[in-house]
Amino acid sequence: MTNNTNDNVLTIQTPPKVRNSGIELLKIIAILLICISHAVQTSEQFLNYDYLTFGIAVLKILRYFGQIGNIIFVICSSWFLLDSKKVKPERVLKILFDSMCISILIFLGFVFAGYKFSTNRIIQQLFPDIFFNVWFIPVYALFYLIHPLLNTAINKMNKKSHLIFCLVIFSIYSCLGLIIGFGGILINFFGFIVLYFIIAFIKRYCERFYKNRKLNLYLYLGFVLLFLLIAIAKSVFNLEHLEIGQFCSPVLLPMLICLFNLFNSLNFTNKSINYFAGCSLFVYCIHENILVRSIARPLYYEKVLSICLDAYLGWIFLCAIGMFLSAYILSVLYKQTLSKLTQKLSKQSSYILVDIGSNLFNRTNKNSK
C-alpha cells in the first residue's frame, strides 16, 4: 500500500508585497508641493514679481516646490523599479489611457460650461501626451519603458565603475545646469536617468547610509538651510543666472535623497495612505490640465485678487489646497469608475500589441533564414 504524500502537503501562499507607507506618504506630500508650486506659477500673471517684498520672496521659494515634488516622485519610483525585471505593457498603456480619459472629461466639462475651443486645442485635449500637455506623464511612461535596460546596464557595473559613472553624469548634468541653466522635456528625461543611476548606487552599496536616521536628518536640515540661503540670495541680489531648480540640482537632489531615506525608514503599512498615493498621477493630470491652468486658475485669481489684493498669499495657498483636495476627490471618483474600464482596455490592448510584436518577430526570423 502506498501513501499519497500530496494529500498531507500544506500549501503556503506568499502574501502580496505591500509597499512601505512611509514612501507612499511622501508621494502624497510631493503632490501637495506640486499643487502649491502651480498655484504660485499662475499667480505670476497677476502679481509684480520684479518688486521684491517679503511675500514675493516667499513665493519665489515656493515656486521650487514643483520641481521638488517631481524629484521626489522619481526617487520613489526608482527605488521600486530597481527591483523590477521586466516591463508590463498594460501599465504603460494604463497611464496613457488615464491621462487621455481625464483630459477628455475635463474638456467636456468646459464645453458644457459654455466654452468654445479651436480645432488645435480640441486635438490637444484629445491627445494630451502627444503634445506633452502635462509633460511629466509621457516622460514617466517612457522612463518606465526603458527601466529594464537601465537595470541591465547597472547590473554589469561594479561598485567603482558605477560610482565613476554617477559622478561624471551628475557633474555634467547638475553643475553645468547650475552655471548656465537649461531646461526642456528631453533634458528632464535625461535627469530621470541620472537620478536613477544615483539611487541605484545608494540602494546597492550605501545601506548603512540610507538606514542612518540621525545622519540623514542632519544632512537634510543642512541642505534645507543651504537651499534657503541660496534662494534668498538669488532673489535679493537678482542672480537670475544661478539656477538651483534643475532636475538633478546639486542642492535639491541630496536634500531630497535624505528626505526619502527618512520616510523610507518609517517602514509602516497603512491601506488608506497607499490608496491615496495610488491616485497621485490622477491628481497630477487633473490639477495641471492645460484648460485648468490656462482658464480656471486665472479666472480664480481675477475674482479673488479684485476683492483683496493684499491677501494674495492667502489666496494662493487657498488655490493650492483647493486644487489638492478637489483633484483628490475627483481622482477617487475616477479610480472607482472609469479607471476600471481603462484597466481592462489596457490589458486587452497589451495582449494585442504583444501578439502583433510576436508575429512580426517570427516573420522577421523566417525571412532572415
Side-chain angles (χ1 to χ4, degrees):
M1 183 180 294
T2 60
N3 292 327
N4 189 351
T5 56
N6 290 332
D7 294 339
N8 299 321
V9 172
L10 176 62
T11 302
I12 301 176
Q13 294 185 343
T14 304
K17 200 171 184 179
V18 180
R19 285 195 172 188
N20 179 2
S21 295
I23 296 177
E24 301 301 290
L25 177 60
L26 183 58
K27 288 166 65 176
I28 296 174
I29 295 172
I31 200 68
L32 174 59
L33 297 178
I34 291 170
C35 287
I36 293 173
S37 175
H38 288 157
V40 174
Q41 181 183 28
T42 306
S43 74
E44 293 172 355
Q45 303 173 31
F46 302 90
L47 300 174
N48 183 8
Y49 275 70
D50 294 328
Y51 182 67
L52 188 64
T53 63
F54 174 78
I56 295 299
V58 170
L59 293 179
K60 285 188 174 184
I61 293 174
L62 295 180
R63 190 66 177 82
Y64 289 103
F65 280 14
Q67 194 70 305
I68 287 173
N70 292 333
I71 295 170
I72 289 173
F73 266 115
V74 179
I75 291 175
C76 294
S77 297
S78 299
W79 190 263
F80 294 114
L81 290 178
L82 285 165
D83 297 324
S84 172
K85 296 181 180 179
K86 62 179 182 179
V87 170
K88 295 180 180 179
E90 64 269 19
R91 181 176 177 182
V92 179
L93 292 172
K94 179 73 166 59
I95 293 171
L96 299 178
F97 284 150
D98 284 328
S99 176
M100 182 171 65
C101 188
I102 289 171
S103 183
I104 292 172
L105 288 173
I106 292 175
F107 167 72
L108 292 176
F110 276 89
V111 170
F112 290 143
Y115 287 89
K116 295 182 180 180
F117 302 100
S118 65
T119 302
N120 288 339
R121 180 51 60 87
I122 293 172
I123 293 174
Q124 286 179 355
Q125 282 295 118
L126 295 178
F127 306 100
D129 298 313
I130 293 177
F131 297 95
F132 291 90
N133 290 355
V134 182
W135 70 268
F136 188 89
I137 303 301
V139 171
Y140 178 81
L142 182 59
F143 170 64
Y144 174 77
L145 274 174
I146 68 165
H147 83 269
L149 298 177
L150 301 180
N151 286 347
T152 300
I154 289 168
N155 290 333
K156 290 183 178 180
M157 295 179 178
N158 57 34
K159 184 177 181 179
K160 183 179 179 180
S161 61
H162 193 162
L163 177 60
I164 293 173
F165 183 76
C166 286
L167 290 174
V168 170
I169 60 175
F170 178 77
S171 299
I172 293 173
Y173 185 90
S174 304
C175 297
L176 191 62
L178 183 66
I179 298 171
I180 64 174
F182 51 76
I185 294 170
L186 184 61
I187 295 299
N188 284 333
F189 176 67
F190 182 62
F192 278 43
I193 297 174
V194 174
L195 198 155
Y196 193 79
F197 276 92
I198 293 172
I199 297 301
F201 184 85
I202 293 172
K203 188 171 184 178
R204 294 182 75 180
Y205 304 112
C206 306
E207 184 176 358
R208 290 181 63 185
F209 162 65
Y210 71 73
K211 288 187 175 181
N212 189 328
R213 292 185 183 182
K214 185 178 292 187
L215 176 61
N216 277 279
L217 178 60
Y218 290 154
L219 287 174
Y220 171 71
L221 294 176
F223 277 108
V224 168
L225 180 60
L226 178 63
F227 161 69
L228 292 175
L229 290 174
I230 294 176
I232 293 170
K234 183 178 177 181
S235 297
V236 172
F237 298 107
N238 197 25
L239 303 174
E240 295 300 326
H241 64 282
L242 183 61
E243 183 54 65
I244 60 171
Q246 296 297 330
F247 207 90
C248 286
S249 163
V251 178
L252 294 183
L253 183 56
M255 177 180 80
L256 297 176
I257 287 175
C258 293
L259 181 64
F260 171 81
N261 291 338
L262 290 171
F263 275 84
N264 190 20
S265 67
L266 295 178
N267 200 22
F268 71 100
T269 301
N270 183 288
K271 291 183 179 180
S272 297
I273 290 175
N274 290 4
Y275 178 86
F276 285 113
C279 298
S280 297
L281 286 181
F282 301 155
V283 176
Y284 209 123
C285 291
I286 292 170
H287 94 277
E288 187 56 5
N289 178 272
I290 193 170
L291 298 183
V292 173
R293 71 172 181 256
S294 64
I295 298 176
R297 290 209 297 262
L299 183 61
Y300 164 81
Y301 281 119
E302 286 179 4
K303 298 292 184 182
V304 300
L305 292 178
S306 64
I307 297 172
C308 182
L309 181 60
D310 292 337
Y312 63 87
L313 277 176
W315 293 126
I316 291 171
F317 275 106
L318 185 61
C319 176
I321 298 300
M323 283 194 300
F324 178 75
L325 294 178
S326 59
Y328 252 112
I329 292 171
L330 293 173
S331 295
V332 170
L333 292 174
Y334 178 81
K335 189 178 180 69
Q336 295 301 119
T337 53
L338 292 176
S339 178
K340 295 180 180 179
L341 294 178
T342 57
Q343 181 71 42
K344 293 180 181 179
L345 179 61
S346 61
K347 284 186 178 181
Q348 293 300 322
S349 299
S350 67
Y351 295 150
I352 294 171
L353 290 175
V354 169
D355 287 341
I356 293 173
S358 298
N359 290 332
L360 288 174
F361 179 77
N362 292 332
R363 289 182 181 181
T364 303
N365 277 353
K366 286 181 180 180
N367 293 333
S368 62
K369 291 180 180 179

